[in-house]
Amino acid sequence: MRLLSNFDTSKEQQLLDEYKKGFGDEKVISIHKSRWYYIIHVVAPLAIFFMIFSIWLYLSYMLDLEYQHLVQRAFWICMALYLIATLVKTSREYMNRKMDYLIVTPKEVIKYDQAWVFDRETETIHVDKVKSVTVSKHGIVNSFLDIWTITFLAEGEDNKGDIIMSHIDAVEQVERKIRTITWMNTA
């Protein structure tokens, strides 16, 4: 689906086809956020909403209260507001999971970050300018779920040129593949 120039759900596939045609299938990799990111940031909030909705629905209709009609009206207003807030947050996180990606080719590292429907950022580092590729893990949840952050450090004094992609699964395999593609492999 394409909405104006910033929101194009087929952009990644177009880029991959273009790069694979130029470099070959084995020399291009696309990296997305972890499936755990999707579960924690999309599935869990929706499940929590439905649990709270079920409990409140039961309590507001099954208890015999003096002001039953006011309680039920308040219930529906609160649930509608909570549903809207949950859908806005989860749709943004779903978009982060599906439309934030990193493409690595033998010539460049490109990160696409779709912040919202009208806001997309692209960062590019030429492979010759990559000083190092580092992986890091922070926090107990990330440690437990084996979710990592991969950072491409660019030449220069500041962090402006660095590309950082968080919430990556199986980062050791991904890093090996990146090093092979970019000819940074020391082995």
Side-chain angles (χ1 to χ4, degrees), residues 38-57 75 78-79 82-87 89-90:
Y38 175 75
I39 292 168
I40 291 169
H41 294 281
V42 177
V43 174
L46 289 173
I48 290 168
F49 168 79
F50 285 112
M51 286 186 337
I52 290 171
F53 177 79
S54 300
I55 292 168
W56 269 38
L57 184 66
F75 161 75
C78 289
M79 283 295 105
Y82 184 36
L83 177 63
I84 291 168
T86 302
L87 289 177
K89 183 180 183 328
T90 56

Short mmCIF file of all heavy atoms in Angstrom, two decimals, residues 38-57 75 78-79 82-87 89-90:
data_model
loop_
_atom_site.label_atom_id
_atom_site.label_comp_id
_atom_site.label_asym_id
_atom_site.label_seq_id
_atom_site.Cartn_x
_atom_site.Cartn_y
_atom_site.Cartn_z
N TYR A 38 7.22 -7.71 18.55
CA TYR A 38 5.82 -7.77 18.15
C TYR A 38 4.95 -8.30 19.30
O TYR A 38 3.90 -7.74 19.60
CB TYR A 38 5.69 -8.66 16.91
CG TYR A 38 4.28 -8.89 16.48
CD1 TYR A 38 3.56 -7.90 15.83
CD2 TYR A 38 3.66 -10.12 16.69
CE1 TYR A 38 2.26 -8.12 15.41
CE2 TYR A 38 2.36 -10.34 16.28
CZ TYR A 38 1.67 -9.33 15.64
OH TYR A 38 0.38 -9.55 15.25
N ILE A 39 5.39 -9.35 19.94
CA ILE A 39 4.61 -9.94 21.03
C ILE A 39 4.50 -8.98 22.21
O ILE A 39 3.41 -8.77 22.75
CB ILE A 39 5.23 -11.29 21.47
CG1 ILE A 39 5.06 -12.32 20.35
CG2 ILE A 39 4.61 -11.79 22.77
CD1 ILE A 39 5.85 -13.58 20.53
N ILE A 40 5.61 -8.36 22.60
CA ILE A 40 5.61 -7.47 23.77
C ILE A 40 4.87 -6.17 23.50
O ILE A 40 4.14 -5.67 24.36
CB ILE A 40 7.06 -7.20 24.22
CG1 ILE A 40 7.67 -8.47 24.79
CG2 ILE A 40 7.12 -6.08 25.25
CD1 ILE A 40 9.17 -8.39 25.01
N HIS A 41 5.05 -5.60 22.31
CA HIS A 41 4.53 -4.27 22.04
C HIS A 41 3.19 -4.24 21.31
O HIS A 41 2.55 -3.18 21.25
CB HIS A 41 5.55 -3.46 21.25
CG HIS A 41 6.79 -3.17 22.03
ND1 HIS A 41 6.87 -2.19 22.98
CD2 HIS A 41 8.01 -3.77 22.02
CE1 HIS A 41 8.07 -2.17 23.50
NE2 HIS A 41 8.78 -3.14 22.95
N VAL A 42 2.76 -5.35 20.73
CA VAL A 42 1.49 -5.38 20.01
C VAL A 42 0.52 -6.38 20.63
O VAL A 42 -0.60 -6.02 21.01
CB VAL A 42 1.69 -5.69 18.51
CG1 VAL A 42 0.37 -5.78 17.78
CG2 VAL A 42 2.58 -4.63 17.86
N VAL A 43 0.92 -7.63 20.72
CA VAL A 43 0.02 -8.67 21.21
C VAL A 43 -0.31 -8.49 22.69
O VAL A 43 -1.48 -8.55 23.08
CB VAL A 43 0.62 -10.07 20.94
CG1 VAL A 43 -0.23 -11.15 21.55
CG2 VAL A 43 0.79 -10.29 19.45
N ALA A 44 0.69 -8.24 23.52
CA ALA A 44 0.46 -8.12 24.97
C ALA A 44 -0.48 -6.96 25.33
O ALA A 44 -1.42 -7.16 26.10
CB ALA A 44 1.78 -7.99 25.71
N PRO A 45 -0.30 -5.74 24.78
CA PRO A 45 -1.25 -4.67 25.12
C PRO A 45 -2.69 -4.98 24.68
O PRO A 45 -3.63 -4.63 25.39
CB PRO A 45 -0.71 -3.44 24.37
CG PRO A 45 0.73 -3.71 24.21
CD PRO A 45 0.85 -5.20 24.04
N LEU A 46 -2.84 -5.63 23.54
CA LEU A 46 -4.20 -6.00 23.11
C LEU A 46 -4.79 -7.07 24.02
O LEU A 46 -5.98 -7.02 24.36
CB LEU A 46 -4.18 -6.47 21.66
CG LEU A 46 -3.94 -5.38 20.62
CD1 LEU A 46 -3.77 -5.99 19.23
CD2 LEU A 46 -5.07 -4.36 20.61
N ALA A 47 -3.98 -8.03 24.44
CA ALA A 47 -4.46 -9.06 25.37
C ALA A 47 -4.84 -8.45 26.71
O ALA A 47 -5.87 -8.81 27.30
CB ALA A 47 -3.39 -10.13 25.55
N ILE A 48 -4.03 -7.51 27.19
CA ILE A 48 -4.34 -6.84 28.45
C ILE A 48 -5.64 -6.05 28.33
O ILE A 48 -6.48 -6.07 29.23
CB ILE A 48 -3.17 -5.92 28.88
CG1 ILE A 48 -1.98 -6.79 29.31
CG2 ILE A 48 -3.59 -4.98 30.01
CD1 ILE A 48 -0.69 -6.02 29.49
N PHE A 49 -5.83 -5.38 27.19
CA PHE A 49 -7.08 -4.65 26.98
C PHE A 49 -8.28 -5.59 27.08
O PHE A 49 -9.26 -5.29 27.75
CB PHE A 49 -7.10 -3.94 25.62
CG PHE A 49 -8.47 -3.44 25.26
CD1 PHE A 49 -8.96 -2.28 25.82
CD2 PHE A 49 -9.28 -4.16 24.40
CE1 PHE A 49 -10.24 -1.83 25.52
CE2 PHE A 49 -10.55 -3.73 24.09
CZ PHE A 49 -11.04 -2.55 24.65
N PHE A 50 -8.21 -6.73 26.39
CA PHE A 50 -9.35 -7.65 26.40
C PHE A 50 -9.58 -8.28 27.77
O PHE A 50 -10.72 -8.54 28.15
CB PHE A 50 -9.21 -8.71 25.30
CG PHE A 50 -9.51 -8.14 23.94
CD1 PHE A 50 -8.51 -8.00 23.00
CD2 PHE A 50 -10.78 -7.71 23.61
CE1 PHE A 50 -8.77 -7.46 21.76
CE2 PHE A 50 -11.07 -7.17 22.37
CZ PHE A 50 -10.05 -7.03 21.44
N MET A 51 -8.52 -8.49 28.54
CA MET A 51 -8.71 -8.99 29.91
C MET A 51 -9.40 -7.94 30.78
O MET A 51 -10.35 -8.26 31.50
CB MET A 51 -7.36 -9.39 30.52
CG MET A 51 -6.81 -10.67 29.96
SD MET A 51 -5.30 -11.30 30.76
CE MET A 51 -4.55 -9.93 31.53
N ILE A 52 -8.93 -6.71 30.71
CA ILE A 52 -9.55 -5.64 31.50
C ILE A 52 -10.98 -5.41 31.05
O ILE A 52 -11.89 -5.23 31.87
CB ILE A 52 -8.70 -4.34 31.39
CG1 ILE A 52 -7.39 -4.53 32.14
CG2 ILE A 52 -9.47 -3.14 31.93
CD1 ILE A 52 -6.40 -3.42 31.93
N PHE A 53 -11.21 -5.43 29.75
CA PHE A 53 -12.55 -5.27 29.21
C PHE A 53 -13.49 -6.35 29.74
O PHE A 53 -14.62 -6.07 30.17
CB PHE A 53 -12.51 -5.31 27.68
CG PHE A 53 -13.86 -5.23 27.04
CD1 PHE A 53 -14.51 -4.01 26.91
CD2 PHE A 53 -14.50 -6.36 26.55
CE1 PHE A 53 -15.75 -3.91 26.32
CE2 PHE A 53 -15.75 -6.29 25.96
CZ PHE A 53 -16.38 -5.06 25.84
N SER A 54 -13.04 -7.59 29.74
CA SER A 54 -13.87 -8.70 30.21
C SER A 54 -14.21 -8.57 31.69
O SER A 54 -15.36 -8.78 32.10
CB SER A 54 -13.16 -10.03 29.98
OG SER A 54 -12.90 -10.22 28.63
N ILE A 55 -13.22 -8.21 32.49
CA ILE A 55 -13.46 -8.06 33.94
C ILE A 55 -14.41 -6.92 34.21
O ILE A 55 -15.37 -7.07 34.97
CB ILE A 55 -12.11 -7.87 34.68
CG1 ILE A 55 -11.29 -9.16 34.61
CG2 ILE A 55 -12.34 -7.46 36.13
CD1 ILE A 55 -9.85 -9.01 35.05
N TRP A 56 -14.18 -5.77 33.60
CA TRP A 56 -15.06 -4.62 33.79
C TRP A 56 -16.47 -4.90 33.28
O TRP A 56 -17.45 -4.48 33.86
CB TRP A 56 -14.49 -3.39 33.08
CG TRP A 56 -13.60 -2.55 33.92
CD1 TRP A 56 -12.70 -2.97 34.85
CD2 TRP A 56 -13.52 -1.14 33.88
NE1 TRP A 56 -12.06 -1.90 35.39
CE2 TRP A 56 -12.54 -0.76 34.81
CE3 TRP A 56 -14.16 -0.15 33.14
CZ2 TRP A 56 -12.20 0.56 35.02
CZ3 TRP A 56 -13.81 1.16 33.36
CH2 TRP A 56 -12.85 1.52 34.30
N LEU A 57 -16.57 -5.58 32.15
CA LEU A 57 -17.89 -5.92 31.59
C LEU A 57 -18.65 -6.80 32.57
O LEU A 57 -19.83 -6.55 32.85
CB LEU A 57 -17.72 -6.63 30.25
CG LEU A 57 -18.99 -6.97 29.49
CD1 LEU A 57 -19.69 -5.67 29.06
CD2 LEU A 57 -18.68 -7.83 28.28
N PHE A 75 -18.55 2.73 32.05
CA PHE A 75 -17.78 1.59 31.54
C PHE A 75 -17.55 1.73 30.04
O PHE A 75 -16.43 1.60 29.57
CB PHE A 75 -18.52 0.29 31.85
CG PHE A 75 -18.07 -0.87 31.01
CD1 PHE A 75 -16.87 -1.49 31.26
CD2 PHE A 75 -18.84 -1.32 29.95
CE1 PHE A 75 -16.44 -2.56 30.48
CE2 PHE A 75 -18.42 -2.38 29.17
CZ PHE A 75 -17.22 -3.00 29.43
N CYS A 78 -15.17 4.70 29.19
CA CYS A 78 -13.78 4.38 29.55
C CYS A 78 -13.19 3.34 28.60
O CYS A 78 -12.04 3.47 28.17
CB CYS A 78 -13.70 3.87 30.98
SG CYS A 78 -13.98 5.15 32.21
N MET A 79 -13.95 2.32 28.28
CA MET A 79 -13.45 1.28 27.39
C MET A 79 -13.22 1.80 25.98
O MET A 79 -12.25 1.42 25.31
CB MET A 79 -14.41 0.09 27.36
CG MET A 79 -14.32 -0.80 28.58
SD MET A 79 -12.72 -1.62 28.74
CE MET A 79 -11.97 -0.71 30.04
N TYR A 82 -10.00 3.80 26.18
CA TYR A 82 -8.88 2.87 26.37
C TYR A 82 -8.60 2.10 25.07
O TYR A 82 -7.44 1.89 24.70
CB TYR A 82 -9.19 1.93 27.53
CG TYR A 82 -8.09 0.97 27.90
CD1 TYR A 82 -6.75 1.32 27.84
CD2 TYR A 82 -8.39 -0.31 28.34
CE1 TYR A 82 -5.75 0.44 28.19
CE2 TYR A 82 -7.41 -1.21 28.69
CZ TYR A 82 -6.09 -0.83 28.61
OH TYR A 82 -5.11 -1.71 28.95
N LEU A 83 -9.66 1.69 24.36
CA LEU A 83 -9.49 0.98 23.09
C LEU A 83 -8.79 1.87 22.06
O LEU A 83 -7.87 1.43 21.38
CB LEU A 83 -10.83 0.49 22.55
CG LEU A 83 -10.77 -0.20 21.19
CD1 LEU A 83 -9.93 -1.46 21.26
CD2 LEU A 83 -12.17 -0.50 20.69
N ILE A 84 -9.21 3.12 21.96
CA ILE A 84 -8.59 4.04 21.01
C ILE A 84 -7.11 4.22 21.33
O ILE A 84 -6.26 4.15 20.44
CB ILE A 84 -9.33 5.39 20.99
CG1 ILE A 84 -10.72 5.21 20.36
CG2 ILE A 84 -8.53 6.46 20.24
CD1 ILE A 84 -11.64 6.40 20.54
N ALA A 85 -6.79 4.45 22.60
CA ALA A 85 -5.39 4.63 23.01
C ALA A 85 -4.57 3.37 22.71
O ALA A 85 -3.44 3.45 22.22
CB ALA A 85 -5.31 4.98 24.49
N THR A 86 -5.14 2.21 23.00
CA THR A 86 -4.44 0.94 22.75
C THR A 86 -4.22 0.72 21.26
O THR A 86 -3.13 0.30 20.84
CB THR A 86 -5.22 -0.24 23.36
OG1 THR A 86 -5.39 -0.01 24.76
CG2 THR A 86 -4.51 -1.56 23.14
N LEU A 87 -5.23 0.99 20.44
CA LEU A 87 -5.08 0.79 19.00
C LEU A 87 -4.07 1.75 18.38
O LEU A 87 -3.30 1.35 17.51
CB LEU A 87 -6.44 0.93 18.31
CG LEU A 87 -7.43 -0.20 18.57
CD1 LEU A 87 -8.76 0.08 17.89
CD2 LEU A 87 -6.86 -1.54 18.12
N LYS A 89 -1.44 3.05 19.93
CA LYS A 89 -0.11 2.60 20.37
C LYS A 89 0.31 1.32 19.67
O LYS A 89 1.43 1.22 19.17
CB LYS A 89 -0.10 2.39 21.88
CG LYS A 89 1.26 1.98 22.42
CD LYS A 89 1.24 1.78 23.90
CE LYS A 89 2.53 1.44 24.53
NZ LYS A 89 3.48 0.69 23.81
N THR A 90 -0.59 0.35 19.60
CA THR A 90 -0.21 -0.92 18.98
C THR A 90 -0.04 -0.81 17.47
O THR A 90 0.80 -1.49 16.90
CB THR A 90 -1.23 -2.04 19.32
OG1 THR A 90 -2.53 -1.63 18.92
CG2 THR A 90 -1.20 -2.37 20.79
#
